[in-house]
């Protein structure tokens, strides 16, 4: 079993319960690798069935595929089996969490900074399927989706997933859409896209103020209703 992240080299410090969860996931691995995120640098770690790290080595199947010129099928994503363990390691209790789906760059850094200033822990999934898997185990307060992450909303796997989410759970999420096509704080546009807030990339420098304003308006409008429902 690896003891440190192959990317950032920080110690993983698994306790007995966490090691048991990893072993259970590895035992059920019949092919490919087990994918999980480092609680420090958030990069993906891939484990072979014997618990060794697959990120720094290639097996005979990979070598054969390279020699034959055939691209092997992508390993299965079964990160949902161990994601709850990493949420336990990485997240402090009673801290708001934000799921941020954006391409790397200045806008994402601004979003991260805005949440950090509010004492909110941001997570950055690798794909729409990764984001959906994380939501199975974690109660996020904020969800941010940039149209540059997964293409037009009509084709976005995650946006469709959130749009179909039962209202009993959906009303507890503050959903923010970002992209160059949106008009910041335009409530009608947000409503039309099943979101709570829309933000244009050009206003990235003012995200902390925009988030506070949008959330305050939401709390003022729906706060009494949610309180009456015991949410």
């Amino acid at each position: 079993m690896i003891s440190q992240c192959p990317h950032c080299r920080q110690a993983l410090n698994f306790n007995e319960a966490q090691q048991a969860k990893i072993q259970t996931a590895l035992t059920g691995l019949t092919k490919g690798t087990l994918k999980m995120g480092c609680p420090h640098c958030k990069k993906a770690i891939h484990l072979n069935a014997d618990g060794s790290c697959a990120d720094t080595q290639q097996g005979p199947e990979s070598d054969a595929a390279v020699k034959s010129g055939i691209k092997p099928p992508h390993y299965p994503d079964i990160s949902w089996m161990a994601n709850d363990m990493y949420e336990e390691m990485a997240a402090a209790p009673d801290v708001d969490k934000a799921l941020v789906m954006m391409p790397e760059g200045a806008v994402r850094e601004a979003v991260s900074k805005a949440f950090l200033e509010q004492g909110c822990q941001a997570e950055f999934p690798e794909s729409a399927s990764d984001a959906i898997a994380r939501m199975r185990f974690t109660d996020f307060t904020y969800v941010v989706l940039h149209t540059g992450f997964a293409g037009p909303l009509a084709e976005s796997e995650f946006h469709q997933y959130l749009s179909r989410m039962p209202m009993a759970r959906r009303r507890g999420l503050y959903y923010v859409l970002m992209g160059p096509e949106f008009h910041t704080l335009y409530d009608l546009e947000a409503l039309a896209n099943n979101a709570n807030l829309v933000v244009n990339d050009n206003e990235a420098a003012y995200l902390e103020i925009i988030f506070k304003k949008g959330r305050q308006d939401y709390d003022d409008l729906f706060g009494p209703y949610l309180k009456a429902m015991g949410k």
Side-chain angles (χ1 to χ4, degrees):
M1 182 70 66
I2 63 172
S3 59
Q4 67 177 21
C5 173
H7 308 292
C8 67
R9 301 299 178 184
Q10 296 194 59
L12 296 174
N13 296 325
F14 301 128
N15 60 35
E16 291 185 5
Q18 292 161 353
Q19 290 183 36
K21 289 183 179 181
I22 293 178
Q23 192 56 54
T24 299
L26 291 174
T27 300
L29 190 66
T30 58
K31 62 179 180 178
T33 58
L34 173 68
K35 174 187 171 186
M36 55 182 64
C38 171
H40 304 293
C41 68
K42 308 302 182 185
K43 291 185 178 180
I45 301 173
H46 305 98
L47 298 181
N48 295 312
D50 62 0
S52 61
C53 182
D55 294 285
T56 57
Q57 55 185 285
Q58 287 188 328
E61 292 183 2
S62 296
D63 293 337
V66 171
K67 292 179 182 178
S68 65
I70 301 174
K71 185 177 180 180
H74 200 269
Y75 54 81
D77 182 1
I78 56 173
S79 56
W80 58 269
M81 299 176 70
N83 271 351
D84 56 340
M85 177 194 67
Y86 277 97
E87 299 300 342
E88 175 187 336
M89 293 174 61
D94 301 323
V95 173
D96 285 341
K97 303 175 187 67
L99 189 66
V100 181
M101 291 158 283
M102 302 183 68
E104 292 186 8
V107 177
R108 194 175 93 166
E109 291 178 4
V111 171
S112 179
K113 181 177 181 295
F115 281 124
L116 182 62
E117 292 294 330
Q118 298 181 60
C120 184
Q121 183 184 46
E123 296 185 14
F124 303 94
E126 297 180 347
S127 63
S129 58
D130 183 22
I132 293 171
R134 290 174 185 241
M135 292 195 70
R136 292 174 182 160
F137 300 103
T138 304
D139 291 326
F140 290 98
T141 304
Y142 300 95
V143 174
V144 181
L145 175 64
H146 192 283
T147 52
F149 181 82
L153 292 182
E155 302 173 9
S156 169
E157 177 187 1
F158 183 86
H159 183 69
Q160 293 176 20
Y161 164 78
L162 204 68
S163 297
R164 294 192 298 265
M165 181 179 290
M167 188 52 63
R169 185 182 181 196
R170 171 64 180 86
R171 66 170 60 96
L173 296 172
Y174 191 76
Y175 185 31
V176 182
L177 291 174
M178 292 190 65
E181 67 270 44
F182 295 121
H183 302 82
T184 300
L185 292 172
Y186 187 20
D187 291 338
L188 186 59
E189 190 172 39
L191 180 64
N193 288 286
N194 296 317
N196 300 102
L197 176 69
V198 290
V199 181
N200 188 282
D201 289 355
N202 292 332
E203 279 76 57
Y206 310 102
L207 281 174
E208 185 178 356
I209 297 174
I210 293 170
F211 284 166
K212 287 182 178 179
K213 174 68 167 60
R215 186 59 196 244
Q216 186 60 54
D217 289 347
Y218 174 80
D219 289 342
D220 290 344
L221 181 60
F222 293 104
Y225 171 70
L226 295 176
K227 184 177 180 180
M229 295 186 65
K231 299 297 182 180

